[in-house]
Amino acid sequence: MAAGLTNEQYLLISTVRRFIDNELRPLEDAVEKTGILPTADAKRIFERSRDLGFYAMNIAEHHGGGGLSALDWVLVEEQFGHTTDILIRRAFGNVYEILLSGTPEQHARWLTPSVKGERTFSVAFTEPGAGSDAASIKTTARRDGDGWVLSGQKTFISDAHYSDFFVVTAVTNSSAGARGISTFIIDKGLEGFTIGPDQLMMGLRGTTHAELFFDDVKLGAEALLGPEGGGLKLALQTLGRIRLAQICARAIGKATHVLDMTIEHARQRKQFGQSIGEFQMVQQMLADSAMEINSARLTLHDTARMIDKGNDVREEISMVKVQASETLGRVVDRAVQVFGGSGYAKDLSIERYYRDARICRIYDGTSEIHRSVIGQALLKGSPHLYDMVAQ
Ligand SMILES: Cc1cc2nc3c(=O)[nH]c(=O)nc-3n(C[C@H](O)[C@H](O)[C@H](O)COP(=O)(O)OP(=O)(O)OC[C@H]3O[C@@H](n4cnc5c(N)ncnc54)[C@H](O)[C@@H]3O)c2cc1C
């Protein structure tokens, strides 16, 4: 049980959990073995999810989405953590809220089809020379009449081969530093735009990651998303809620699922004539995992409630990102230990969870970057981050 949730929220959670158990979990092993989700399966789970009103739940109802509050959304995303991210992407959509900042024309061309599941997209900020330092990108967009010409390269772009378009950052004014970066929407298939081969990863089987190459790609004026020079600000403003949901909540969901499996194994597995759960050192691992998950979940829910009240919670989101992703790392590590050799073997899903978990401390801001956001806020004077009576 979590504190302060309504019956409707529990109903939402259990409906999503049932959908995942019945429709998605049976596909996990095949995706892991083959590296692909067959198109027919992807279509079926998308259609089932859409019919149940589950697709694009984070997007406001007047744009055709589910219109969930931040709290409801993280509750749902926590359940998503109980299966693989790629099945979630196909079933429930991955509509980044950055598109909401577009004009009505941009909404009609890119947002509405995404909310309906007719088009999918990725965000592309990282470059070979610019990861944590997102302001040091080299991709440029130069004015060309009413439009733009885009040149440069992105890397590690999730789901690249499945996406129909990309939200891309580029320098539009090289003398303005972070205020000289703008955001553009780039359709696949434009002349001069190519997508590189799959960059194979440690985990996350079932999708691809790729480099994007822009060789003087001509763009119309309508490709500029948000104000010129406002690209990094736009990203900061719109990616926080999605980070809380897609990374933090899912990490806590994954940790919960892995702990369920670990407890069951500790009950069933017998050594020295008794279940290994009888050994206090095993109990300690279970107890530590449960305590850490609970504590991360409370911080997650608290932060989501603050978003729903309209508070600026940038640093709080950084705190949850570090806490949730590092909790998951410790929980899956203990799980491998409790499972022993079978935790390391490919036959069980524990080793997959172990590999998949590792990325959570890296993408969408590394633990070090989020710690430095928190540390800088503390030094500037943000006692409310740790003292409940401070403003
Ligand atoms: C599977 C996967 C999917 C991804 N998907 C996407 C995507 O869809 N779109 C996208 O744009 N990007 C994506 N990325 C890129 C990802 O966001 C970056 O890898 C991440 O931001 C880190 O950047 P980097 O790899 O360049 O590491 P670097 O920035 O080079 O960092 C290397 C190390 O240095 C540390 N470091 C750097 N700066 C500091 C500092 N100031 N203080 C302390 N330590 C520091 C980092 O914490 C890290 O430990 C993805 C990456 C992976 C692996």
Side-chain angles (χ1 to χ4, degrees):
M1 297 289 279
L5 298 186
T6 62
N7 287 340
E8 287 74 25
Q9 285 168 326
Y10 278 111
L11 184 64
L12 177 67
I13 292 169
S14 57
T15 312
V16 172
R17 176 83 70 97
R18 215 171 23 252
F19 181 83
I20 287 170
D21 286 344
N22 296 340
E23 311 275 342
L24 305 188
R25 201 182 306 295
L27 301 169
E28 282 178 11
D29 284 349
V31 171
E32 188 60 23
K33 283 198 183 85
T34 60
I36 52 163
L37 174 66
T39 314
D41 287 330
K43 187 164 177 288
R44 180 171 49 77
I45 61 176
F46 156 66
E47 283 171 355
R48 285 279 298 141
S49 154
R50 187 196 50 194
D51 293 348
L52 288 165
F54 285 159
Y55 201 83
M57 282 184 282
N58 55 317
I59 301 298
E61 279 172 312
H62 64 271
H63 288 301
L68 293 188
S69 67
L71 179 59
D72 286 354
W73 190 30
V74 299
L75 293 174
V76 166
E77 289 275 353
E78 199 181 319
Q79 301 313 307
F80 289 177
H82 288 246
T83 187
T84 66
D85 283 354
I86 190 55
L87 289 168
I88 293 305
R89 249 181 197 258
R90 299 292 172 262
F92 298 99
N94 210 28
V95 187
Y96 291 92
E97 292 157 355
I98 198 165
L99 275 192
L100 295 172
S101 51
T103 60
E105 292 72 31
Q106 288 173 321
H107 286 171
R109 183 161 163 191
W110 287 291
L111 175 65
T112 307
S114 302
V115 173
K116 287 183 181 164
E118 293 163 2
R119 303 187 80 190
T120 58
F121 70 105
S122 303
V123 291
F125 302 153
T126 306
E127 300 187 357
S132 300
D133 185 6
S136 67
I137 55 167
K138 296 277 179 283
T139 296
T140 59
R142 64 173 197 276
R143 282 254 179 221
D144 179 35
D146 282 350
W148 304 87
V149 176
L150 186 74
S151 307
Q153 181 183 347
K154 299 289 174 183
T155 192
F156 295 150
I157 305 310
S158 298
D159 233 21
H161 297 103
Y162 296 86
S163 287
D164 301 302
F165 64 93
F166 298 83
V167 174
V168 171
T169 46
V171 175
T172 45
N173 179 353
S174 57
S175 53
R179 292 207 178 100
I181 293 176
S182 307
T183 313
F184 294 87
I185 310 177
I186 317 296
D187 281 317
K188 190 157 87 177
L190 288 179
E191 199 179 334
F193 174 22
T194 47
I195 303 177
D198 188 10
Q199 297 172 295
L200 292 176
M201 296 290 168
M202 180 192 286
L204 303 178
R205 297 261 293 161
T207 184
T208 61
H209 300 84
E211 289 178 294
L212 313 181
F213 300 97
F214 308 110
D215 183 10
D216 285 346
V217 181
K218 283 193 185 328
L219 305 173
E222 73 287 354
L224 177 68
L225 177 66
E228 185 178 341
L232 279 190
K233 193 167 169 207
L234 190 61
L236 273 180
Q237 282 169 347
T238 57
L239 293 180
R241 206 174 95 118
I242 214 152
R243 175 176 301 134
L244 193 72
Q246 291 194 348
I247 312 285
C248 308
R250 282 188 204 175
I252 293 167
K254 279 184 210 313
T256 307
H257 184 59
V258 167
L259 181 57
D260 277 343
M261 291 192 285
T262 314
I263 293 169
E264 189 53 26
H265 183 76
R267 283 196 191 109
Q268 302 298 334
R269 173 74 175 166
K270 293 207 164 37
Q271 288 294 284
F272 299 97
Q274 61 191 68
S275 61
I276 58 169
E278 299 293 319
F279 301 123
Q280 288 181 352
M281 278 184 274
V282 172
Q283 288 171 12
Q284 180 178 353
M285 288 193 266
L286 303 180
D288 284 349
S289 290
M291 289 187 291
E292 288 173 23
I293 291 170
N294 252 346
S295 146
R297 180 180 294 116
L298 287 174
T299 326
L300 169 79
H301 290 187
D302 199 35
T303 306
R305 286 190 172 99
M306 284 193 268
I307 293 179
D308 286 331
K309 284 185 186 152
N311 294 325
D312 176 2
V313 289
R314 183 173 167 233
E315 290 87 12
E316 282 85 350
I317 291 175
S318 286
M319 290 168 90
V320 190
K321 166 76 163 62
V322 174
Q323 197 183 357
S325 58
E326 296 191 358
T327 292
L328 173 62
R330 289 188 292 270
V331 169
V332 289
D333 187 70
R334 291 185 196 115
V336 172
Q337 200 64 19
V338 172
F339 272 81
S342 54
Y344 195 72
K346 285 269 181 197
D347 300 356
L348 296 185
S349 56
I350 293 294
E351 69 85 35
R352 164 168 64 77
Y353 276 100
Y354 184 81
R355 284 183 287 110
D356 285 353
R358 191 62 184 83
I359 188 60
C360 295
R361 288 157 55 193
I362 297 172
Y363 61 13
D364 217 349
T366 63
S367 285
E368 292 73 32
I369 292 299
H370 285 293
R371 278 195 169 86
S372 82
V373 168
I374 301 161
Q376 284 166 26
L378 294 175
L379 291 169
K380 277 185 200 149
S382 300
H384 66 279
L385 291 175
Y386 59 91
D387 182 350
M388 68 177 183
V389 296
Q391 294 301 309

